[in-house]
Amino acid sequence: MKRVLLKLSGEALAGEKKTGFDEATCISVANQVKQLSEEGVQVAIVIGGGNFWRGRSSNTIDRVRADQIGMLATVMNCIYVSEIFRYVGMKTKIFTPFVLGAMTELFSKEAAQESLSNGAVIFLAGGTGHPYFSTDTATALRAIELECDMIMMARAVDGVYDSDPKLNPAAKKYDTVSYQELLDKKLAILDLTATVMCMENKIPLLVFSLGEENGIVKNGNGTITGTVVTVQ
């Protein structure tokens, strides 16, 4: 693979604390991405905001405002994790779909691709910039725009199951599953919009555990420990 989009769970980055950041986890992620980058893989990153904000569960705040707070949560995550990447010796660039002073750069395909070509890891913060779209949708959109070979989704769960393994100890894990099966079986790994976008644009998805030792490197190098979601 030449170029991947890595989707990180905000909750997974928080570790056992469930909120904020677990620095050791973030440093581990940074060192693994650094290894992939040194092997010639260009990496773009989207981070969810769930370690700070779950506004959709509240009925007291307008949905648009809640989604805007969520966008800003992803910006905080990207700024923090970007600094951890710099700490381990990597070049980074943070893009947002809206102007945010001097903290980030306004996203454009050309600028993002140039940064990737120059060896930087890019962080794609702020979602799509619009309410009613999740970071899943932002992940699919940016992967398509940047012509990524694959989306790598690092989650708290180590793959795609036929039911929630936290609730059902007998849940079956898939080695491979198609996007059409995700839709047919209502396996909500991605939201509906993102699933259809990835399927129509033929972007494969790899779902694996962020907690697995060296999981980003192993899965990025083809030693698949999670689930591959295929385009057919």
Side-chain angles (χ1 to χ4, degrees):
M1 292 186 293
K2 179 183 177 183
R3 179 178 295 170
V4 300
L5 195 149
L6 175 64
K7 168 70 186 301
L8 298 173
S9 158
E11 297 99 315
L13 290 177
E16 295 181 359
K17 296 186 297 181
K18 305 300 182 184
T19 187
F21 303 106
D22 179 72
E23 188 171 274
T25 299
C26 295
I27 289 174
S28 172
V29 169
N31 282 322
Q32 291 182 69
V33 173
K34 183 179 182 182
Q35 183 175 333
L36 274 187
S37 182
E38 288 173 346
E39 292 170 0
V41 180
Q42 297 176 358
V43 183
I45 296 177
V46 172
I47 307 177
N51 53 326
F52 284 116
W53 183 250
R54 280 290 183 190
R56 293 184 182 188
S57 62
S58 171
N59 293 320
T60 60
I61 300 175
D62 177 77
R63 170 64 186 272
V64 172
R65 290 302 191 194
D67 283 0
Q68 288 171 342
I69 295 170
M71 292 177 212
L72 294 177
T74 71
V75 173
M76 291 193 296
N77 281 346
C78 284
I79 290 174
Y80 177 86
V81 178
S82 170
E83 285 305 299
I84 297 295
F85 275 51
R86 288 178 178 271
Y87 169 76
V88 302
M90 302 192 70
K91 295 189 297 181
T92 65
K93 181 86 74 171
I94 306 171
F95 292 97
T96 48
F98 41 76
V99 176
L100 204 60
M103 289 184 281
T104 66
E105 185 171 317
L106 189 63
F107 175 83
S108 73
K109 175 178 179 176
E110 293 75 17
Q113 288 183 323
E114 182 178 0
S115 294
L116 288 169
S117 296
N118 289 335
V121 171
I122 65 170
F123 289 82
L124 304 164
T128 66
H130 299 283
Y132 297 96
F133 293 97
S134 71
T135 51
D136 284 349
T137 305
T139 297
L141 175 64
R142 298 302 184 219
I144 294 163
E145 284 184 296
L146 297 175
E147 302 170 32
C148 293
D149 298 310
M150 175 175 277
I151 296 170
M152 296 177 61
M153 181 173 283
R155 308 172 76 233
V157 182
D158 65 346
V160 179
Y161 287 77
D162 61 357
S163 59
D164 189 339
K166 294 179 181 178
L167 302 177
N168 178 17
K172 173 190 172 186
K173 178 183 173 184
Y174 295 98
D175 292 327
T176 62
V177 64
S178 70
Y179 283 114
Q180 189 61 56
E181 288 178 284
L182 293 187
L183 296 172
D184 294 343
K185 298 177 181 178
K186 295 182 169 59
L187 304 175
I189 298 303
L190 296 170
D191 67 33
L192 181 61
T193 303
T195 302
V196 173
M197 288 176 67
C198 288
M199 181 170 65
E200 289 183 344
N201 290 277
K202 302 189 185 315
I203 302 284
L205 170 69
L206 172 58
V207 183
F208 64 101
S209 172
L210 183 62
E212 178 187 358
E213 184 177 357
N214 226 28
I216 294 173
V217 172
K218 285 191 288 189
N219 284 278
N221 283 333
T223 303
I224 306 302
T225 61
T227 300
V228 176
V229 182
T230 63
V231 298
Q232 294 182 349

